[in-house]
Amino acid sequence: MMLDKDLQSIQAARELVKNAKNAQRQFAKFTQEQVDKIVAHIAAEAARHAETLAKSAHQETGFGRWQDKVLKNLFASTQVHQHIRDMKTVGIIADDSAKKVMEVGVPLGVITALVPSTNPTSTIFYKTLIALKAGNAIIFSPHPNAKVCSQQAIDVVKRAALEAGAPEGIVDGVTLLTMQATETLMKSKDVSLILATGGEGMVRAAYASGTPTISGGPGNGPAFIERSANIPQAVKDIITSKTFDNGVICASEQSIIAERCIYDQVHFELVRQGAYLMNEQESDQLAAILLRPNGMINPELVGQCAVTLAQKAGFIVPATTTVLVSPQTTVSPKNPYSREKLCPVLGLYVEENWHTACERVLALLTNEGMGHTLVIHTQNPDVVREFALEKPVFRMLVNTPAALGGIGATTNITPALTLGCGALGGGSSSDNVGPMNLLNVRKVGYGVRSIEDLRQPVAAPAPACDPTFSACVEPTAAPTSAKPVSIFEDTRFTGSDVAPTVAVIPAASNSIASNQGDDRFTTAVSPANDEINEAQVERIIKQVMGRLAP
């Protein structure tokens, strides 16, 4: 009996999980040296196929520039591997002999990875390396619009893993692509984690599956050019970033914010470096096609060059145009220039000073892209600190192209193609995701204190320095007795310091001392004075309390 496509895909997905689970059980017994050898071979093979797969991805999806996709493939293989190569991820990964604490790396198990159409081959290289480095198996679910090039990339890493000695099934991918197959992977009880990179709908589905998920999120990175910036370099960085692979990296700039006092210079540099500033009519024409009626990005414009975008919108720009820029004054979900645009289009806001620029940055990030990325161009470290302390992002980049700085290519941030947005962006991690996000850590702690140690009184504090004097002030001496001093045990009640007294407790007294049979005041110690007077007791209390005061 022939099963329909959906049922076949579900069964195939179940087989993938079963094979991956068996492979991971074997792989979990590999040494750090064995794991590192496998990861190194996969990285080398991926780099060797960087150009072929870049051209394949461009041909299939129509997104971006194949030359830039070569760089992304090399980044996701070579640069990622260089960063993770010496990490300890297997067995004992840390051992503090002084504190007597040991840490053991524990793989998660089987990981399901969602692959976006914007980075369909580089994402597979990157996720394979970090998953296997952490001792896991990984199963890919490619995007339907990039299934051919993604399968080619899966074949490369799968073959390389087997060549280096990894068990069969440690890397694989869905070949019969259906929503049911992806859902089966995400909801399987044998899948430990979903590593999600892709559209907002798919990421939400991953979190709704009930399986732990680490994801990236939508970007909407503002680029603030502050008055002290090197303006020609700042504009160059922004255009470099926004034209890299035609803007499909989510960390790329989406808006420029410039202070009014430098706007003329910014405008001059934008025009000089190939930007086309649209008039109001042209801005409206492009805005009409940037988003779908449901408010989502129009996929037909993703990764297209500036000249093509203008043509699709119905106006002509010079063939040398690098980016399309639209002057804006408003921020809203309905204004596409204040949202993520995965193509070389930028909104442009002019603000009076850096304080109002701060407000504009917050408005843009609140509109979309909370937790993701912003970039600032400045030579003023005070402005950098102010932005770093307050802005709701987890990647703040300074004087660098955001698309490349955010993924760690032009900065020393962890090299990654999954950029977490933390709780602000509805995610579980704020990291550039790496191997340490894909394993658990078992803590081993030796006993170093006993319960008797815990019961010991806290040591007296060291002498405190009085700011009004040059010398340190010694604290008031504590009583020498180990037991707390009670007023009722003071020697002045026994006749050594004051005139002898006799405590007389009336028989009808309702005091706690009387009810408990307290007889500390019943011994006659003074033939000269047969009762305690109130003033005397008050004086003694003050003396004792003064002596106990710190």
Side-chain angles (χ1 to χ4, degrees), residues 215-233:
S215 69
N220 188 30
F224 173 42
I225 305 178
E226 192 261 343
R227 66 184 64 190
S228 69
N230 180 332
I231 295 173
Q233 185 62 47

Side-chain angles (χ1 to χ4, degrees), residues 16-17 19-21 23-24 27 42 109-115 123-133 135-141 154 157-158 161 167 169-174 185 191 193-196 438:
L16 286 173
V17 174
N19 294 339
K21 186 176 181 180
Q24 196 278 327
F27 194 53
I42 293 171
V110 178
I111 294 173
T112 286
L114 307 181
V115 184
T123 296
I124 288 167
F125 293 164
Y126 150 71
K127 289 186 177 180
T128 298
L129 294 179
I130 64 172
L132 268 62
K133 177 69 176 181
N136 303 297
I138 188 164
I139 303 170
F140 290 100
S141 179
I154 292 169
V157 296
K158 182 178 177 180
I170 200 69
V171 183
D172 218 326
V174 176
L185 289 178
V191 169
L193 180 80
I194 301 170
L195 191 53
L438 304 185

